[in-house]
Amino acid sequence: DRDSSRTKRTTIVESSVPASFDTMNPAEQLLKIVDVSLRIPSGPRVLLVRLSAVGDCVQTMPLASAIRRQWPDAHLTWVVERGAAPLVAAHEAVDRLLVLPKCFLTSLRTLTKLRGELRQHAFDIAFDPQGLTKSGIVSWLSGARRRIGFVRPFAREFNPWLQTEHVTPRSSHRSEEHT
C-alpha cells in the first residue's frame, strides 16, 4: 500500500510538470505547485529548499523526515527543480512541491509569482541545506521569520546573508549533514 502511494505521488508530479518544462520560454514556465498529500496543516508551515541534483535531494530526505518527526502536524513544502520532483514527491514527509524551472532567477515574472506563492503560505520556518545564492533567494522570498542555513564554508556565495540562523554541520560526510 505504501508503494502504491509513492507511485501515485510520482504520477501526479509527472503529469503536472511536462517534460518540456525546462526548455520552455521562461515567461511561459512560471512555476508548478503540486499537492502530494491530503494532510491538513495544523502545525507550523515549513519550507525546505533543495532545488536540484537528484543525489543532493536524496541526501536531504533525512532532513524532511526529521522535520516530520519533530512536527507531525506541520505542512512541509519542498521547493525543487523539475528533474528531482518525482523523487521528492514520493517522500512521505512532503505535503506540497513547488517546482521551479532551472533558470528561474532570470525571469522577473517567475520570481514575482514565486514570491507571491511563498508569501501566501506564510511559512514559519525555512530550511536551506543547499547553501547557494539561488536557494537562499527562495528562502528569503518566502518571508519566513526563521531562515536556517549553513555557516561558511558549507554555505557559499551570498547565501549566509539571506539566512537568519546558521548551523554548523556535526559531520564531515555530506549525507550525515542533514540528519
Side-chain angles (χ1 to χ4, degrees):
D1 197 30
R2 195 173 185 178
D3 286 338
S4 74
S5 172
R6 285 188 181 140
T7 302
K8 183 178 178 185
R9 288 168 165 249
T10 302
T11 303
I12 289 169
V13 173
E14 288 172 345
S15 63
S16 300
V17 184
S20 61
F21 186 66
D22 285 326
T23 59
M24 295 167 87
N25 177 333
E28 296 171 4
Q29 288 176 336
L30 296 179
L31 57 105
K32 297 288 181 185
I33 300 143
V34 184
D35 288 309
V36 292
S37 149
L38 298 176
R39 245 186 306 266
I40 298 176
S42 60
R45 294 186 168 278
V46 180
L47 182 69
L48 181 56
V49 184
R50 185 59 175 220
L51 299 169
S52 58
V54 171
D56 290 343
C57 287
V58 167
Q59 290 180 344
T60 304
M61 288 182 172
L63 176 57
S65 297
I67 291 167
R68 180 63 58 209
R69 278 192 309 275
Q70 179 66 31
W71 297 298
D73 297 330
H75 189 269
L76 178 59
T77 299
W78 188 317
V79 183
V80 66
E81 291 173 353
R82 185 190 182 285
L87 176 73
V88 172
H91 195 290
E92 59 194 23
V94 177
D95 296 305
R96 171 175 283 168
L97 295 181
L98 263 67
V99 184
L100 297 177
K102 283 190 179 290
C103 59
F104 74 94
L105 285 178
T106 63
S107 167
L108 183 58
R109 183 175 180 199
T110 302
L111 286 172
T112 302
K113 182 161 174 71
L114 174 61
R115 181 182 183 273
E117 181 63 31
L118 291 170
R119 296 285 171 112
Q120 177 182 341
H121 293 287
F123 290 103
D124 299 299
I125 187 168
F127 290 95
D128 179 4
Q130 189 156 355
L132 298 176
T133 298
K134 70 180 188 174
S135 59
I137 288 172
V138 174
S139 283
W140 180 74
L141 287 173
S142 75
R145 286 186 181 206
R146 294 184 69 194
R147 296 183 306 276
I148 301 173
F150 290 122
V151 298
R152 287 187 188 278
F154 301 98
R156 297 171 301 234
E157 303 167 348
F158 294 106
N159 184 283
W161 289 309
L162 300 169
Q163 309 305 331
T164 59
E165 299 175 38
H166 300 101
V167 209
T168 303
R170 292 182 293 181
S171 169
S172 61
H173 191 273
R174 295 288 294 179
S175 66
E176 295 175 12
E177 288 176 8
H178 310 294
T179 58

